[in-house]
Amino acid sequence: EAGVTQSPTHLIKTRGQQATLRCSPISGHTSVYWYQQALGLGLQFLLWYDEGEERNRGNFPPRFSGRQFPNYSSELNVNALELEDSALYLCASRGRLGLAPNEQFFGPGTRLTVL
Amino acid sequence: AQTVTQSQPEMSVQEAETVTLSCTYDTSENNYYLFWYKQPPSRQMILVIRQEAYKQQNATENRFSVNFQKAAKSFSLKISDSQLGDTAMYFCAFMKHAQGAQKLVFGQGTRLTINP
């Protein structure tokens, strides 16, 4: 069974640009979570999508947005990039709510560098 | 809001030794889950062990076990017979039991090095 996949592995952008990160969950998983792992700030929850809808959002500005597609894959968009957005962005998936254990399974991450 | 604290930024032990990583958390919730995740240099976060708060029995997964003290809000991870492959960042994480609150709240992590 394939795990959570993320693309691209690395992404280099300049300030003010937009970045799009992609995540494909484990087959059969309906929930996708996004976390930011910035140096010195630890892992911070960004967004949670389930069944195509945004269910919860962390303490991040609106320029962090995303969506979940009918096949449960997800995109994270970061607009108007700032230097402090440089981080490892981790995606995680889990099975259908109420029917599966509560573990979140993580992808390998996308390293975003803003110059 | 929930907080998770890992007071040991770095630890180092010899191969085959036993090591214990500390984690404390703060919550007013009664039902929740606790997890230990491992992040090796490859960056892939891997679930090591989980504990449901309503279970009094400490979780065990092969060489990994936890000491869950609910009243003290403490959740330590013990690694027995440590191996070189255990070298990684270890994160303690908390999740509320409620369906609408599925996010993980992580500690700052402990960098564990197993020396040959």
Side-chain angles (χ1 to χ4, degrees):
Chain A
E1 178 186 271
V4 178
T5 60
Q6 292 187 246
S7 63
T9 304
H10 295 92
L11 189 57
I12 299 175
K13 295 285 186 178
T14 56
R15 279 171 51 188
Q17 285 189 314
Q18 179 196 36
T20 298
L21 289 64
R22 296 180 176 82
C23 171
S24 291
I26 291 171
S27 177
H29 284 192
T30 60
S31 277
V32 170
Y33 304 80
W34 288 96
Y35 294 88
Q36 182 196 64
Q37 188 174 19
L39 201 62
L41 294 178
L43 280 147
Q44 305 289 325
F45 166 74
L46 256 170
L47 289 159
W48 170 33
Y49 292 96
D50 181 65
E51 300 280 4
E53 294 193 14
E54 183 180 302
R55 301 290 186 176
N56 200 356
R57 181 182 182 86
N59 189 24
F60 282 84
R63 56 191 187 81
F64 286 85
S65 65
R67 54 180 171 167
Q68 187 178 33
F69 299 99
N71 66 354
Y72 303 114
S73 67
S74 176
E75 260 181 16
L76 173 68
N77 294 294
V78 188
N79 294 320
L81 284 165
E82 300 179 2
L83 297 178
E84 52 264 34
D85 296 334
S86 293
L88 180 66
Y89 289 84
L90 293 170
C91 169
S93 76
R94 58 148 289 166
R96 201 171 294 276
L97 287 176
L99 298 178
N102 283 288
E103 290 91 346
Q104 294 181 18
F105 296 85
F106 284 81
T110 292
R111 172 74 64 189
L112 173 63
T113 301
V114 183
L115 302 176
Chain B
Q2 289 74 35
T3 58
V4 178
T5 302
Q6 294 178 248
S7 59
Q8 305 149 313
E10 294 189 30
M11 294 189 74
S12 178
V13 298
Q14 297 298 121
E15 193 176 6
E17 288 184 345
T18 294
V19 59
T20 299
L21 309 183
S22 301
C23 172
T24 58
Y25 57 95
D26 187 26
T27 184
S28 59
E29 301 288 326
N30 192 45
N31 291 324
Y32 50 88
Y33 300 91
L34 294 164
F35 304 89
W36 278 98
Y37 279 90
K38 165 185 175 181
Q39 188 179 38
S42 66
R43 306 182 325 200
Q44 185 97 35
M45 292 276 283
I46 302 164
L47 178 67
V48 175
I49 200 165
R50 61 174 267 171
Q51 174 81 42
E52 291 92 339
Y54 65 86
K55 289 186 177 178
Q56 292 187 337
Q57 187 173 7
N58 289 324
T60 299
E61 288 287 342
N62 301 313
R63 298 182 295 108
F64 299 87
S65 62
V66 298
N67 184 4
F68 173 49
Q69 302 289 327
K70 190 173 183 179
K73 296 180 182 175
S74 169
F75 183 62
S76 61
L77 174 69
K78 185 172 84 170
I79 306 174
S80 303
D81 186 26
S82 58
Q83 301 174 359
L84 297 178
D86 295 333
T87 293
M89 281 289 290
Y90 285 80
F91 293 94
C92 178
F94 171 100
M95 185 172 73
K96 285 200 287 188
H97 188 269
Q99 278 205 353
Q102 292 285 315
K103 67 177 183 180
L104 286 165
V105 177
F106 287 92
Q108 291 295 95
T110 296
R111 185 176 302 279
L112 176 64
T113 302
I114 309 299
N115 299 306

